[in-house]
Amino acid sequence: SGLGSLDGLVMADPSALAAIVGLVGPVPVPGLDVVLTADTTADFLVRRQYLEFPDNSEAQDRKDVLVEVAAQVGSRLSSLSVPSLQDLSSRFGPLVAQGHLVVSVPSNQRPSAAALLDDLGLDGGFELPDSADLLAVGQRNRVGNKIDLFLERSLRYDVAIATDGSLTADLTVDLTNKAPATGLPDYVIGSALGAAAPPRGTNLTTTLIYSPHQLRTLTVDGVAVVPASLSDGGLVIYQVEVELGPGSQHQIRATFDGVALADDYAVRVLPGMLVQPDRLLVTVADARRGTTVERPVAAVDRPHCLGTARRARC
């Protein structure tokens, strides 16, 4: 690119790391009967490493293995013949589009580099669309474990637009914790909270609802809750704490008031970045057009643009 050396940040999640292993070739894991490939790396990083080293006393051994694996991959990358641009694009392009790989540099330090990464979709920017709605629901684990392996979410977003363009949006978030209470290491279903630890298999989670609209009501299992909130980049983030015992389910419902800024309503949906992708249903009843549409998404594993037009623009 001619940009020279850059100081910035690279975020590569397990899916991106699996693609890198696929690029350099199979990597044996020292001391284990495990070989990392493009197909096995993500599962090893997310789940299997904690089963291979189940005791807290083995934490340093587990970390040492990861360091050795990373050294192997790094050594191969340093001597790798760079594949064609077409091969790199086909291998990593979908990961960039789905948010699994981010490369960012401060725009005030290297504006030309920041602009290039933005053009490539690599900068991971989180921006409010100019004329579209936004649906983004995050999750923050407060227990200090890997129990989100078992967290499943189903989202429903029902939007009603009046003839004057005013908008009411109802968001339903169903949370299900399918973790067992026994049979797995503390890493996975235990807790790092010490004396304040909840029972094994319990997920203490904070749901983060990002919205450009004004919150009218919010309930958890039908009980009104006043969420913590903060503003960020033109959005308000509403934070709701929920305790999910093993096998339990809870429902969060939020109602918003806003304005549809375009004649063709569209909502940009961002993935929750959990291990299990969300299931989603968006319905839009637009009195301005006299239409009602349903837009189901079986697995929200990448950004989606949904709206009243088949080719909605976000």
Side-chain angles (χ1 to χ4, degrees):
S1 65
L3 294 173
S5 61
L6 297 174
D7 289 325
L9 175 144
V10 176
M11 187 283 289
D13 74 4
S15 296
L17 296 176
I20 293 172
V21 171
L23 187 65
V24 302
V27 178
V29 179
L32 299 178
D33 185 21
V34 177
V35 176
L36 300 186
T37 66
D39 295 326
T40 63
T41 296
D43 180 71
F44 180 81
L45 294 175
V46 170
R47 184 186 65 89
R48 185 167 177 177
Q49 63 168 308
Y50 304 105
L51 302 180
E52 296 286 352
F53 299 93
D55 295 332
N56 290 335
S57 61
E58 299 176 289
Q60 190 57 53
D61 294 333
R62 179 179 59 82
K63 294 175 182 178
D64 289 343
V65 166
L66 294 178
V67 169
E68 292 185 47
V69 168
Q72 286 189 61
V73 174
S75 176
R76 293 191 197 179
L77 280 173
S78 65
S79 59
L80 183 72
S81 297
V82 179
S84 69
L85 186 61
Q86 183 176 4
D87 179 62
L88 288 174
S89 177
S90 62
R91 188 184 297 268
F92 292 102
L95 296 170
V96 171
Q98 294 167 18
H100 298 292
L101 180 63
V102 169
V103 183
S104 181
V105 298
S107 58
N108 60 346
Q109 295 180 23
R110 296 295 298 275
S112 58
L116 175 60
L117 296 173
D118 178 48
D119 289 343
L120 294 173
L122 271 167
D123 70 333
F126 189 93
E127 297 181 358
L128 181 68
D130 291 337
S131 60
D133 196 357
L134 179 77
L135 175 60
V137 181
Q139 212 72 38
R140 183 170 64 233
N141 181 322
R142 297 185 286 121
V143 194
N145 61 12
K146 304 300 177 183
I147 202 167
D148 281 348
L149 282 165
F150 302 98
L151 180 60
E152 296 184 0
R153 303 194 316 184
S154 179
L155 310 182
R156 178 168 180 143
Y157 195 54
D158 296 306
V159 178
I161 304 171
T163 54
D164 63 358
S166 59
L167 171 154
T168 299
D170 292 311
L171 171 65
T172 302
V173 182
D174 288 311
L175 301 169
T176 303
N177 175 23
K178 292 196 172 181
T182 60
L184 289 172
D186 285 343
Y187 278 128
V188 182
I189 61 170
S191 173
L193 298 181
R200 288 170 60 82
T202 300
N203 192 337
L204 297 180
T205 188
T206 300
T207 300
L208 308 171
I209 302 172
Y210 296 74
S211 179
H213 307 309
Q214 178 68 42
L215 179 68
R216 186 199 307 167
T217 61
L218 190 145
T219 63
V220 178
D221 296 330
V223 178
V225 172
V226 178
S229 62
L230 58 91
S231 298
D232 185 12
L235 300 170
V236 179
I237 307 171
Y238 300 97
Q239 305 177 61
V240 187
E241 297 185 357
V242 178
E243 179 173 329
L244 293 157
S248 69
Q249 182 178 38
H250 293 280
Q251 184 179 85
I252 299 171
R253 298 194 66 180
T255 301
F256 300 92
D257 295 315
V259 177
L261 298 178
D263 292 337
D264 288 329
Y265 172 84
V267 56
R268 182 184 180 197
V269 180
L270 299 182
M273 303 307 289
L274 289 168
V275 177
Q276 310 295 337
D278 294 330
R279 299 180 299 275
L280 170 69
L281 175 64
V282 172
T283 68
V284 183
D286 193 340
R288 300 171 303 176
R289 303 166 62 90
T291 59
T292 299
V293 298
E294 290 189 354
R295 299 282 187 260
V297 182
V300 185
D301 56 358
R302 58 182 176 82
H304 287 266
C305 183
L306 307 171
T308 53
R310 274 293 174 186
R311 295 186 177 275
R313 295 186 177 182
C314 293

